[in-house]
Amino acid sequence: MKNTLTTIALALAGMCLTTVDARVYHATPHLYVQPNGDSVSVRLFGTELYIDAESEDGYTLIRDEESGYVCYAMLSADGDEYASTGIKYNGGEAPSGLNLIVKPHIRLSAESRNKIIENNEKKLGLDSPVSELRAATALPDTVYGVTLMIDFPDRKFSVSRDDVETFLNSSEKTVYGNARSIKEHFRWLSGGKLTYINYLPKEIYYAPNNFNYYSPEDATDYTVNLFLPVVTEALLAITKEKDGFDLNDITFFGAKMMAINIFYAGEEPKGWATGLWPHKGGYNFDLRRKYNISAREWHNYQIANLGKDMFMGTFVHENGHMVLGLPDYYSFESGNDDNNIEEFNLADMFWLKDEKHPALLDPYSMDELGWLTNKQDITDIKDGRTITIKQEVGNVAVYYGSGDNSNERYYFEVRDKHYKNWYGKSNQGVMIWHVNTDGDNRYAGFPELIDGRPATADDCMWNSYTGPGVFCDDSNPSAKWYDGNNSGVYIWDFSLPGTTMTFRCGNEEAKAVDIPLDLSTEDYKIHVYNDKGQFIGDYDSISDIENTQIPHGIYVLKQSGRVYKIVK
């Protein structure tokens, strides 16, 4: 029985990584083999549609068209193209005097970069409408995708088919150190609301030509058009009798198969964004010989190499686009200072620093998908009551805007790490997300769809040690909406960091002194803040406060790890 999503009016388009959906590269290591056989490590920035490469110390690199070597790059005067300096990159630090010729981190102009992106979108079938996040009612309880394993005469899989089956669909086991199977990961994220199963043919499909035919070593562009006809034949080779399923069993999005995953044997091409470089795309697979499927439809696919190891991160990320309609939340433009969430990268489906343990979704995506299992609406709470949040999937508090700002909201969630702290300490705190559903994270000059607006580049987790004492319209950072209107948010008294955290919400009815101890005999200090969360000073007694010209507001006494409120 064909599974068709007839309730979705939105069109899921494409693919890769920039103007549509993509896999992000941010200083991602890649091993390049020079023509003489030497391997050098480069760092990649961008998406499948446009990638810049840098040396380990930050100099931009390109492949010299004549020699084939990766060399240090220089930039034309108009910024529209790179040229090779002819100086080979040997790994490590740049040779002495290179900084007299070129500077680190050079980049093409936005106009030139966008032309390359547009060209690659057409090659990969991505010049179609942007994917949009599914509504909570758009997905069935179970989604069925298909995963293909394709071999070559000169390249065979090191990973067994049984391991791929476990990787995809196991309810209990995992392989190669991944956190869980793909099925269990989506079940975990959704709080049990979505089961995602990938049908896997019983046999590996063998391409008729060697790998280099489909992905030439000297390719300077994508050559996936040479390989996708093989994928078509692999899809047509599936039968109920042999495999236990056929394409009628795949979940469709309108007239398109929702998710086609393709593993090919061996390592990825040495050249970035060339040949069969891993990517997400769209293609009109001609399946009319066996199925009543229009040849005009561009079905979504993601393709990746499968070498000696298996990593779930990219698979989860790309299927987040294909199955859930997740957009990308990172910037496609270097120097987009508006997009501060890029510093933490919590908003994306996962962070490539650990491809075997993908991170949580952001709470906005979870909310739109209907996956927040414990959502506390604090919009109308003004009396200073304590809000408690556990560090668990789907546990958040949300404050919704209204009127002219009904497109904006704040989410409050307990997290324990972000990019800046990835290599070191656990950094538990309340992460405050700001969402503007009319925004767009991809380009500078637009309001952000989602960001960590209260965050700073040094710390995005708020607790009793970090961040101002109060987050409100007059604090710094401010809780005002994008247009400068007051939001009315008043959050204060953040708890110590932990897996369960609290904060107080609102200040309108905080009218009584609440100090259950005899201040006349206890040794204490009163730490005073004004109603903007700004520190005023330390005082030894309430009489000292009363005799000082301090604005009315909420003052905080901290003693023996306990927090009390004092209202003047």
Side-chain angles (χ1 to χ4, degrees):
M1 177 181 177
K2 183 184 292 186
N3 299 278
T4 304
L5 301 185
T6 57
T7 60
I8 308 177
L10 304 175
L12 172 68
M15 343 313 89
C16 275
L17 298 183
T18 28
T19 17
V20 191
D21 311 311
R23 170 185 174 184
V24 62
Y25 298 92
H26 187 73
T28 305
H30 173 64
L31 202 63
Y32 186 88
V33 181
Q34 299 279 37
N36 64 357
D38 291 343
S39 295
V40 292
S41 180
V42 303
R43 299 188 181 278
L44 305 182
F45 297 82
T47 71
E48 301 110 286
L49 297 181
Y50 178 84
I51 296 177
D52 280 308
E54 288 188 355
S55 63
E56 294 180 352
D57 54 352
Y59 284 89
T60 303
L61 304 169
I62 63 168
R63 185 167 69 170
D64 189 291
E65 293 183 3
E66 293 185 6
S67 69
Y69 281 87
V70 168
C71 296
Y72 293 97
M74 53 186 176
L75 190 64
S76 63
D78 57 11
D80 285 345
E81 58 183 355
Y82 293 128
S84 171
T85 61
I87 303 173
K88 297 176 184 177
Y89 172 57
N90 296 316
E93 294 184 358
S96 176
L98 181 70
N99 62 343
L100 300 177
I101 304 172
V102 296
K103 301 300 180 186
H105 312 299
I106 60 174
R107 291 293 186 266
L108 295 181
S109 66
E111 293 78 8
S112 181
R113 182 184 64 241
N114 289 338
K115 288 180 182 178
I116 296 172
I117 290 172
E118 183 179 349
N119 183 50
N120 282 333
E121 284 179 332
K122 292 177 180 178
K123 284 188 173 70
L124 299 177
L126 306 180
D127 49 340
S128 50
V130 175
S131 297
E132 296 192 43
L133 193 59
R134 306 278 189 258
T137 58
L139 288 169
D141 294 336
T142 303
V143 169
Y144 297 93
V146 61
T147 295
L148 304 173
M149 296 177 67
I150 300 180
D151 228 334
F152 308 92
D154 62 336
R155 277 194 178 204
K156 305 301 177 185
F157 284 104
S158 300
V159 173
S160 71
R161 182 203 172 276
D162 287 346
D163 277 352
V164 175
E165 178 72 45
T166 301
F167 172 82
L168 294 170
N169 297 320
S170 176
S171 297
E172 299 176 354
K173 296 174 62 179
T174 185
V175 289
Y176 293 94
N178 288 285
R180 54 190 70 83
S181 72
I182 300 301
K183 182 183 76 173
E184 288 304 309
H185 191 74
F186 279 90
R187 183 178 290 174
W188 171 68
L189 284 176
S190 67
K193 292 182 173 66
L194 174 65
T195 300
Y196 177 39
I197 295 173
N198 267 269
Y199 286 122
L200 183 67
K202 298 295 184 183
E203 298 177 357
I204 294 170
Y205 189 83
Y206 297 98
N209 298 299
N210 287 345
F211 178 74
N212 195 54
Y213 173 83
Y214 306 103
S215 185
E217 286 191 3
D218 59 354
T220 58
D221 210 338
Y222 283 106
T223 58
V224 68
N225 61 303
L226 299 174
F227 185 64
L228 289 176
V230 177
V231 176
T232 300
E233 296 303 317
L235 291 169
L236 289 169
I238 296 169
T239 66
K240 281 269 194 184
E241 295 73 23
K242 173 171 62 73
D243 302 298
F245 75 98
D246 62 24
L247 299 189
N248 287 317
D249 297 311
I250 307 303
T251 301
F252 276 64
F253 178 74
K256 307 173 183 180
M257 282 181 283
M258 180 175 281
I260 301 172
N261 297 289
I262 306 154
F263 283 130
Y264 64 81
E267 301 304 316
E268 64 192 5
K270 67 178 183 180
W272 51 92
T274 64
L276 294 187
W277 183 261
H279 65 272
K280 182 169 172 281
Y283 187 70
N284 56 338
F285 299 101
D286 188 353
L287 306 169
R288 291 173 295 176
R289 278 174 277 164
K290 287 182 62 174
Y291 299 97
N292 184 26
I293 298 175
S294 172
R296 294 184 177 182
E297 295 297 338
W298 288 73
H299 304 273
N300 299 298
Y301 71 84
Q302 71 108 0
I303 183 170
N305 66 292
L306 181 53
K308 298 178 181 179
D309 204 347
M310 299 192 76
F311 304 89
M312 66 184 296
T314 297
F315 197 100
V316 167
H317 180 94
E318 299 298 6
N319 278 271
H321 292 314
M322 292 194 293
V323 175
L324 308 179
L326 290 172
D328 283 313
Y329 294 117
Y330 53 83
S331 173
F332 300 157
E333 298 181 347
S334 60
N336 182 359
D337 295 332
D338 295 336
N339 191 338
N340 69 351
I341 201 64
E342 219 173 10
E343 293 292 329
F344 316 114
N345 213 27
L346 288 171
D348 226 331
M349 187 73 175
F350 73 102
W351 178 234
L352 288 177
K353 283 294 178 184
D354 190 348
E355 281 237 42
K356 296 191 176 186
H357 295 79
L360 290 174
L361 278 172
D362 63 277
Y364 164 65
S365 296
M366 299 275 282
D367 199 1
E368 294 298 295
L369 289 163
W371 289 359
L372 292 180
T373 54
N374 183 15
K375 179 173 66 173
Q376 302 179 65
D377 188 341
I378 62 172
T379 308
D380 297 321
I381 296 177
K382 308 293 184 184
D383 59 6
R385 76 183 69 170
T386 298
I387 306 299
T388 302
I389 305 176
K390 293 183 178 181
Q391 186 182 329
E392 294 177 352
V393 178
N395 280 253
V396 304
V398 59
Y399 185 100
Y400 292 102
S402 60
D404 292 342
N405 303 105
S406 58
N407 58 307
E408 296 185 63
R409 62 190 77 163
Y410 281 105
Y411 290 95
F412 302 84
E413 181 185 27
V414 177
R415 294 264 181 161
D416 68 356
K417 61 169 70 100
H418 63 280
Y419 175 58
K420 290 290 186 181
N421 282 4
W422 187 272
Y423 293 105
K425 61 187 178 182
S426 176
N427 186 38
Q428 290 167 330
V430 175
M431 176 74 183
I432 305 178
W433 305 83
H434 176 251
V435 170
N436 178 353
T437 58
D438 292 339
D440 187 337
N441 278 60
R442 297 171 300 165
Y443 302 104
F446 293 88
E448 297 300 292
L449 168 60
I450 184 169
D451 63 17
R453 191 168 169 199
T456 69
D458 297 321
D459 210 326
C460 63
M461 305 299 180
W462 288 42
N463 54 52
S464 59
Y465 298 135
T466 63
V470 178
F471 176 57
C472 64
D473 291 317
D474 297 320
S475 63
N476 183 19
S478 170
K480 290 181 184 291
W481 300 126
Y482 269 120
D483 60 8
N485 286 338
N486 286 342
S487 69
V489 169
Y490 197 98
I491 304 297
W492 57 288
D493 195 12
F494 291 88
S495 70
L496 294 169
T499 56
T500 297
M501 292 188 62
T502 63
F503 55 79
R504 305 283 291 277
C505 183
N507 70 332
E508 289 185 0
E509 298 181 20
K511 298 177 180 178
V513 173
D514 180 19
I515 308 177
L517 69 164
D518 184 355
L519 295 179
S520 63
T521 60
E522 296 274 352
D523 181 22
Y524 62 87
K525 283 282 187 181
I526 302 175
H527 306 291
V528 179
Y529 301 80
N530 66 17
D531 56 1
K532 296 182 180 180
Q534 298 166 329
F535 181 69
I536 299 297
D538 288 335
Y539 295 84
D540 293 321
S541 67
I542 291 179
S543 61
D544 286 347
I545 295 176
E546 292 173 344
N547 294 328
T548 305
Q549 297 299 314
I550 298 176
H552 286 260
I554 296 178
Y555 310 123
V556 178
L557 165 67
K558 299 185 179 181
Q559 182 181 19
S560 302
R562 303 177 67 186
V563 179
Y564 307 93
K565 71 179 180 184
I566 306 174
V567 175
K568 181 179 177 183

